[in-house]
Amino acid sequence: MPSLNWIGKDKVINYHNNVPYRVLQKKYSYLDEETENMIIHGDNLEALKSLLPKYEGKIKCIFIDPPYNTGNEGWIYNDNVNDPRIKKWLGEVVGSEGEDLSRHDKWLCMMYPRLRIMQKLLSSDGMIFISIDDNEYANLKMICDEIFGLSNFGANIIWEKVYSPRMDEKNFSTSHDYVLCYFKDISKGYVKKVKFEQKSAQFNYYDEKEKKYYRRRSLRKEGSQSLRTDRPNLYYPITAPDGTEVYPIKPNGIEGRWRWEYETYLVNSQNNVLDWVKTKNGWQVYVKQYADNNAEKPVETIWYSSEVGHTHAAADEIKQIFGKKVFDTPKPASLIRKIIDISTDTDSIILDAFAGSGTTAQAVIEQNASDGGDRHFIMIEMLPYAESIIAERIRQLNKKDELKGKCGFGYYELGEQLLVKGKINPDIKIEDLKEYIWYMETRSSFKTINNSDCKAFLGVYNNTAIYFVYDRETLTTLDAFFLQQIKTKADAYVIYADTCTLSNEKLSRFNITFKKIPRDIARL
């Protein structure tokens, strides 16, 4: 598969592994102390990394609206990458030159590690939707093919973002953006079909008995495989209303065939599904096809502004909430609601790592109110308006009667690093350490358990018991005395401690893996 290379790629391709874990600090709750809805203020790369212990493989839908890199944006890239070339880019103002390669290199260096972590967060049947325009579409498609896999490409959706041309444009007036879609695993993911009302001039007959509109389809087979010689058993006479026999003869006089076998015809002729019409060429018989009010069709890849909104509607949406313009480039909630509708279940988690004005949060709240769902959102925004716009937007939505009580969220800041220079930060809570140790061993979220084992016991995963023998102020030892405290029977044991006095023979006999706790021993 072709891959995209740029200056600095070798420094960021695995950089997501070096991003420090930070603990999320809850500052306050709004409406509901137990809500799983989250607004996180902080750098999205570090925030994404902080979500892994609890949410790896749990996010059903990710929508992001990253900087389009038009050359006129002041987007921020603040990763501490030590390569001198990248440092140079970080120290420069993003230029407005249309083909300034350093601008595109810099954007790719910003996006790549973030997408790597988002790929980890997606559930096996999850999907990611990325809004973009022509400035970086080609580059984004290439790195997404690399990160998510070319076989997991879903679609390139064209969204009509404006409904009329800009008359002051010199050459082309751009009417659309893209929404690039990938599956985590296309063999497990799915896109829901959408319901539509069959409105067509073809359904122009009305059945008084069934109280439904219908269209006519000839009972005589048309097109390929429609001759008597193709299916001889489907050539037989049927009786018209005046008693005459009618055969499936084509307009050119060639013998055709019916669509049904004779026995099927006899049953359906009694079920009010046939229309007989007398024409100048004799009797014609038709099958009634009723309009289906619950008809479904696959999601199409052109989304018109009349269906999912446009940029002007999005701006008005924000203005109605705040009473003034507070954000330059919001997306319409109806656009993201469609994404949620086709890609999530009623209990899914939706993540937006470039939260902007918080439209995704509004879309989740409104979709839940519409279908009775219990979806949860996670919004990440590094700029100060995470509180003044996103959180406030949700509080304002709670004033609407139809949304009242459905707008709870927790507001978080990025806290201390869990590890500092490879050592445990002594100021970190023990529960956060347990969550991290459990995640590193199992790649699953940690749950506090009530157990009859010792306090170091974390749980059992794949029949391996995991213990974290830790005391904030003193060194701990894996020794015979500790083994006597273990009450859980398992096939294997992983035990963290500062030191171990057991022999290799004893560790092997009990199938124990000892792991040294990474902390500053000298401090103790």
Side-chain angles (χ1 to χ4, degrees):
M1 180 185 76
S3 62
L4 180 67
N5 288 309
W6 66 92
I7 300 173
K9 180 179 181 179
D10 58 327
K11 302 300 180 183
V12 299
I13 192 168
N14 291 312
Y15 180 61
H16 61 286
N17 293 322
N18 301 324
V19 177
Y21 279 98
R22 290 187 180 274
V23 178
L24 291 174
Q25 293 184 338
K26 191 173 187 178
K27 294 302 182 180
Y28 67 86
S29 294
Y30 175 70
L31 289 183
D32 182 3
E33 283 289 338
E34 304 300 322
T35 181
E36 295 182 51
N37 292 329
M38 303 172 72
I39 300 174
I40 303 171
H41 175 224
D43 171 62
N44 58 7
L45 185 57
E46 293 184 336
L48 287 166
K49 189 70 174 275
S50 73
L51 293 174
L52 284 173
K54 186 174 182 180
Y55 291 103
E56 180 170 356
K58 301 288 182 64
I59 307 296
K60 187 66 162 61
C61 172
I62 297 175
F63 171 80
I64 58 172
D65 184 18
Y68 282 9
N69 204 16
T70 62
N72 297 315
E73 299 164 297
W75 59 271
I76 299 170
Y77 174 70
N78 65 342
D79 298 335
N80 183 23
V81 184
N82 293 320
D83 182 76
R85 293 170 296 179
I86 298 179
K87 276 190 171 181
K88 180 182 177 183
W89 299 329
L90 300 184
E92 295 176 349
V93 177
V94 178
S96 60
E97 296 83 0
E99 295 301 324
D100 180 2
L101 294 180
S102 67
R103 174 163 64 88
H104 299 286
D105 293 336
K106 185 177 177 182
W107 188 87
L108 287 163
C109 287
M110 182 273 292
M111 288 296 295
Y112 197 91
R114 288 162 171 79
L115 289 171
R116 287 291 296 268
I117 299 179
M118 283 186 253
Q119 195 269 349
K120 290 177 176 290
L121 288 167
L122 277 178
S123 61
S124 60
D125 61 348
M127 300 175 68
I128 184 170
F129 297 82
I130 308 170
S131 180
I132 202 69
D133 73 358
D134 286 309
N135 282 281
E136 295 292 353
Y137 169 78
N139 290 333
L140 178 64
K141 177 69 168 61
M142 290 286 283
I143 62 173
C144 283
D145 287 344
E146 183 174 329
I147 294 170
F148 295 95
L150 181 59
S151 63
N152 290 318
F153 171 68
N156 176 28
I157 297 165
I158 295 174
W159 167 48
E160 184 187 34
K161 65 179 180 179
V162 296
Y163 55 84
S164 61
R166 292 185 58 176
M167 303 306 292
D168 58 346
E169 288 290 350
K170 181 180 179 180
N171 295 312
F172 294 97
S173 176
T174 303
S175 300
H176 70 280
D177 278 350
Y178 305 105
V179 180
L180 199 57
C181 166
Y182 281 81
F183 293 85
K184 173 70 170 284
D185 183 343
I186 199 167
S187 68
K188 297 178 181 178
Y190 58 89
V191 176
K192 297 178 184 176
K193 294 184 183 297
V194 292
K195 291 185 178 181
F196 72 103
E197 185 178 351
Q198 289 183 327
K199 292 181 178 179
S200 171
Q202 293 177 320
F203 293 92
N204 56 354
Y205 300 99
Y206 189 72
D207 189 322
E208 289 289 349
K209 184 177 180 179
E210 299 293 335
K211 306 299 181 184
K212 294 180 181 179
Y213 284 95
Y214 67 93
R215 63 183 178 184
R216 290 169 172 168
R217 186 185 187 193
S218 175
L219 180 59
R220 176 175 52 77
K221 179 72 167 67
E222 298 170 330
S224 62
Q225 302 294 308
S226 61
L227 300 179
R228 177 180 183 177
T229 53
D230 295 322
R231 295 285 300 276
N233 63 314
L234 299 184
Y235 181 85
Y236 53 82
I238 58 178
T239 305
D242 63 359
T244 59
E245 289 187 336
V246 177
Y247 287 85
I249 305 298
K250 290 177 173 287
N252 58 9
I254 296 176
E255 293 179 337
R257 67 172 181 87
W258 303 118
R259 296 181 182 276
W260 300 334
E261 294 182 351
Y262 184 67
E263 291 74 14
T264 303
Y265 162 76
L266 290 176
V267 172
N268 287 335
S269 65
Q270 304 299 316
N271 291 336
N272 190 42
V273 297
L274 295 179
D275 257 0
W276 285 92
V277 178
K278 186 68 175 289
T279 71
K280 62 180 181 179
N281 296 321
W283 285 101
Q284 300 294 324
V285 59
Y286 299 94
V287 180
K288 297 178 182 178
Q289 289 189 328
Y290 294 99
D292 184 359
N293 294 331
N294 294 312
E296 293 183 332
K297 63 180 180 179
V299 177
E300 297 177 76
T301 56
I302 298 179
W303 294 4
Y304 294 100
S305 60
S306 58
E307 300 171 353
V308 297
H310 45 77
T311 53
H312 297 300
D316 290 342
E317 198 169 48
I318 290 285
K319 191 173 182 179
Q320 287 175 7
I321 294 173
F322 289 92
K324 60 182 179 179
K325 180 181 178 181
V326 297
F327 201 83
D328 289 332
T329 56
K331 292 292 185 290
S334 50
L335 171 69
I336 304 176
R337 279 190 65 178
K338 177 160 185 175
I339 289 172
I340 293 170
D341 185 43
I342 65 174
S343 66
T344 72
D345 303 313
T346 54
D347 60 350
S348 296
I349 303 171
I350 294 93
L351 167 67
D352 187 340
F354 293 82
S357 65
T359 304
T360 299
Q362 177 175 336
V364 171
I365 292 168
E366 290 179 345
Q367 190 66 23
N368 283 341
S370 173
D371 62 14
D374 188 31
R375 301 173 186 84
H376 306 292
F377 60 76
I378 301 175
M379 303 287 105
I380 303 174
E381 179 53 55
M382 69 184 301
L383 295 177
Y385 54 70
E387 163 61 32
S388 60
I389 294 182
I390 301 175
E392 182 59 25
R393 179 177 189 169
I394 299 173
R395 286 191 285 263
Q396 291 296 323
L397 289 173
N398 191 59
K399 296 179 180 180
K400 294 185 176 183
D401 291 339
E402 67 273 18
L403 301 180
K404 199 167 187 63
K406 299 179 174 66
C407 301
F409 64 87
Y411 188 86
Y412 295 79
E413 297 276 359
L414 287 176
E416 295 288 331
Q417 289 187 25
L418 194 141
L419 299 177
V420 178
K421 296 181 179 179
K423 306 294 184 183
I424 286 178
N425 184 342
D427 298 327
I428 295 296
K429 294 178 181 178
I430 292 179
E431 281 301 310
D432 293 326
L433 292 175
K434 289 180 177 180
E435 182 180 79
Y436 174 74
I437 293 293
W438 181 262
Y439 167 72
M440 295 303 292
E441 290 294 334
T442 69
R443 287 299 189 267
S444 65
S445 57
F446 175 69
K447 294 181 180 179
T448 303
I449 58 174
N450 296 320
N451 66 87
S452 58
D453 207 325
C454 64
K455 66 177 183 179
F457 178 63
L458 299 184
V460 176
Y461 186 82
N462 286 343
N463 217 21
T464 297
I466 302 171
Y467 292 81
F468 182 49
V469 190
Y470 178 80
D471 187 287
R472 191 182 299 279
E473 301 301 330
T474 61
L475 297 177
T476 61
T477 303
L478 170 56
D479 53 15
F481 176 74
F482 177 78
L483 291 185
Q484 293 173 6
Q485 301 176 52
I486 293 178
K487 300 176 182 178
T488 299
K489 291 185 177 181
D491 291 342
Y493 298 84
V494 172
I495 303 176
Y496 285 78
D498 290 305
T499 61
C500 176
T501 62
L502 300 177
S503 66
N504 288 334
E505 184 275 331
K506 199 163 192 176
L507 291 173
S508 178
R509 177 152 51 97
F510 291 108
N511 206 6
I512 297 172
T513 299
F514 165 67
K515 294 191 176 182
K516 185 177 178 63
I517 295 175
R519 60 172 168 167
D520 186 359
I521 302 296
R523 186 185 70 85
L524 299 175

